[in-house]
Amino acid sequence: MKKTLALFFVIPLLGCSSEGDKPNPCFLDGAWMLSHYETPMGNTETFSSDRTFLRIYQGDSALFQCRFINTQSAMVIQPNDRCVVTLINKGGGENVYIEDEDPRPLTMKDDSTIVIQQNGVLYTWHRADRIYKEWGEEICSIIAADLQREDRADASSYVLSAKERQQASIIHVLLLSIMAFILISLIISWIAIDNRKAKRRLQLQLQQIQEMRDERPQSVRQAMASVEKAYFASDDYQLLQRRIATGQRLKEEEWVGIENQIKKIYPGFSSQLRSLYSMSELEYQVCLLVKLRMAPTEIALVLSRDASTISTVRSRLYKKVFGRKGGAREWDEFILSIGA
């Protein structure tokens, strides 16, 4: 029986071909368990799914075979052989193995059952998809490595423990979780450090603005006040006031004109403002109108926003720049103080 099984096992997977040399689907790919065999004399031996022979067809050429024992806690395999074969499809579910010019009939009963005849004995095999899915690659690796060992024993056994695999999986997940935690911690630390640096830069900029305002010579202050007074009395400003009072939305070129006018009156205003915080277009326009002494209701009209929205924008800007809560009026006071 041992020699018969050993010979029978030397049958690899598919060099799949059919009559006319057309390719045949490689239906043997996967794991198969020996269910029973029947001799020409009618004698039958049946194998349980816990103690039988297992073969794995891999790809279209390699066959790995072993004795298989299954217990409640683990599986034991005893490597037997690894080889290559060719399969010819005769049609009608009939196939023939060719191994060393020795044909062996194979009949496909259904998708999960095959019968192979060797020396008059019929061997019936059933698919073992669960084993193939969970252990296929590992079993093939063990068999391949065992057959290459110079000190290999005829009955060498290997234990495959589901519990150990589960523990290994848990350890793997745990390691990945630790690595992810470390990575997230590093990112958070980097963000915190970067925020602290940004806050220090902002504090320095605010300090420089304050120093520039405090050290501004009296003559400069008087000149700026004169320019401001002249602009607020100009026809351009009065026209702007009338347009805003009627709720007319300003055109793009008018916004450009306002920005250019502010640069003439307050040369450092725009650059100082933008250096503090990367503002949206709405936030920047609000600041421009505050600088021109526009009331919040007027700003809301020209920007087609609610007065509450304009108030929220100014309060939010104060908090982002100064890092603490503040009202819209405090932001207005700051805007009116810069620009030298």
Side-chain angles (χ1 to χ4, degrees):
M1 173 63 187
K2 184 175 181 181
K3 290 183 178 180
T4 302
L5 284 173
L7 287 173
F8 176 68
F9 270 121
V10 185
I11 304 174
L13 183 62
L14 325 173
C16 299
S17 63
S18 65
E19 294 178 333
D21 294 330
K22 294 181 180 179
N24 178 43
C26 299
F27 59 81
L28 291 183
D29 190 47
W32 297 79
M33 281 185 171
L34 181 61
S35 171
H36 63 275
Y37 70 83
E38 183 178 352
T39 67
M41 302 299 295
N43 297 324
T44 301
E45 181 171 349
T46 301
F47 297 85
S48 70
S49 59
D50 293 335
R51 188 176 293 270
T52 183
F53 292 89
L54 177 74
R55 59 173 49 180
I56 296 178
Y57 291 99
Q58 191 179 69
D60 62 359
S61 60
L63 167 64
F64 298 82
Q65 54 199 26
C66 64
R67 188 174 182 85
F68 175 82
I69 301 172
N70 190 26
T71 67
Q72 291 183 349
S73 59
M75 293 188 303
V76 179
I77 63 169
Q78 296 175 347
N80 181 268
D81 203 355
R82 176 187 181 187
C83 53
V84 175
V85 298
T86 299
L87 179 70
I88 295 179
N89 180 11
K90 297 176 62 178
E94 297 294 329
N95 302 270
V96 176
Y97 274 115
I98 296 180
E99 180 204 342
D100 296 332
E101 299 182 356
D102 181 16
R104 299 171 184 177
L106 180 149
T107 302
M108 184 177 181
K109 295 292 186 181
D110 52 47
D111 290 342
S112 61
T113 306
I114 58 174
V115 177
I116 300 177
Q117 180 179 339
Q118 182 178 351
N119 298 329
V121 180
L122 298 177
Y123 297 88
T124 300
W125 298 80
H126 292 293
R127 278 194 178 278
D129 291 336
R130 184 186 64 80
I131 292 176
Y132 183 68
K133 181 179 179 181
E134 296 183 9
W135 302 96
E137 291 186 6
E138 190 167 348
I139 291 174
C140 291
S141 298
I142 290 173
I143 294 174
D146 182 82
L147 296 177
Q148 291 178 352
R149 290 171 48 198
E150 295 182 359
D151 59 341
R152 178 177 178 269
D154 290 337
S156 53
S157 300
Y158 298 86
V159 178
L160 304 177
S161 172
K163 184 176 181 180
E164 290 181 3
R165 169 173 280 192
Q166 184 179 21
Q167 290 175 342
S169 178
I170 293 174
I171 292 173
H172 179 70
V173 172
L174 182 61
L175 289 175
L176 289 178
S177 300
I178 292 174
M179 292 175 62
F181 175 78
I182 293 174
L183 179 60
I184 293 173
S185 299
L186 290 174
I187 293 174
I188 293 175
S189 299
W190 179 82
I191 292 175
I193 293 173
D194 188 66
N195 287 338
R196 284 197 294 270
K197 290 181 179 179
K199 188 174 182 179
R200 284 198 294 268
R201 286 195 299 267
L202 182 59
Q203 290 173 343
L204 180 60
Q205 289 170 338
L206 289 172
Q207 182 179 350
Q208 291 173 343
I209 292 173
Q210 179 68 32
E211 290 174 354
M212 290 175 61
R213 186 175 65 239
D214 294 342
E215 296 174 1
R216 188 181 300 159
Q218 184 64 29
S219 59
V220 173
R221 296 181 185 181
Q222 291 176 348
M224 289 182 61
S226 177
V227 173
E228 280 182 342
K229 184 177 180 180
Y231 174 69
F232 291 137
S234 68
D235 293 338
D236 290 340
Y237 184 73
Q238 298 304 319
L239 178 61
L240 177 62
Q241 283 279 44
R242 287 195 294 272
R243 293 206 59 180
I244 291 176
T246 58
Q248 296 182 43
R249 193 172 183 84
L250 298 179
K251 299 178 182 178
E252 184 177 351
E253 56 269 20
E254 290 176 312
W255 281 112
V256 173
I258 290 175
E259 187 173 13
N260 290 336
Q261 192 66 46
I262 286 180
K263 287 180 179 178
K264 293 179 183 179
I265 305 171
Y266 313 104
F269 175 76
S270 294
S271 59
Q272 290 178 0
L273 186 62
R274 290 192 180 278
S275 68
L276 295 175
Y277 171 68
S278 179
M279 297 184 178
S280 67
E281 190 65 20
L282 173 63
E283 291 172 333
Y284 184 61
Q285 289 175 349
V286 169
C287 293
L288 291 180
L289 296 177
V290 169
K291 191 65 175 176
L292 293 180
R293 311 295 198 277
M294 297 295 175
T297 53
E298 295 174 328
I299 297 174
L301 279 174
V302 76
L303 294 178
S304 301
R305 305 291 177 122
D306 294 335
S308 59
T309 300
I310 301 304
S311 177
T312 300
V313 168
R314 290 144 62 213
S315 300
R316 185 173 61 239
L317 282 170
Y318 187 90
K319 183 177 181 180
K320 288 182 178 179
V321 170
F322 289 93
R324 60 179 184 270
K325 289 184 178 181
R329 182 171 296 181
E330 292 174 286
W331 178 252
D332 294 350
E333 291 174 355
F334 171 70
I335 290 297
L336 294 175
S337 70
I338 64 176

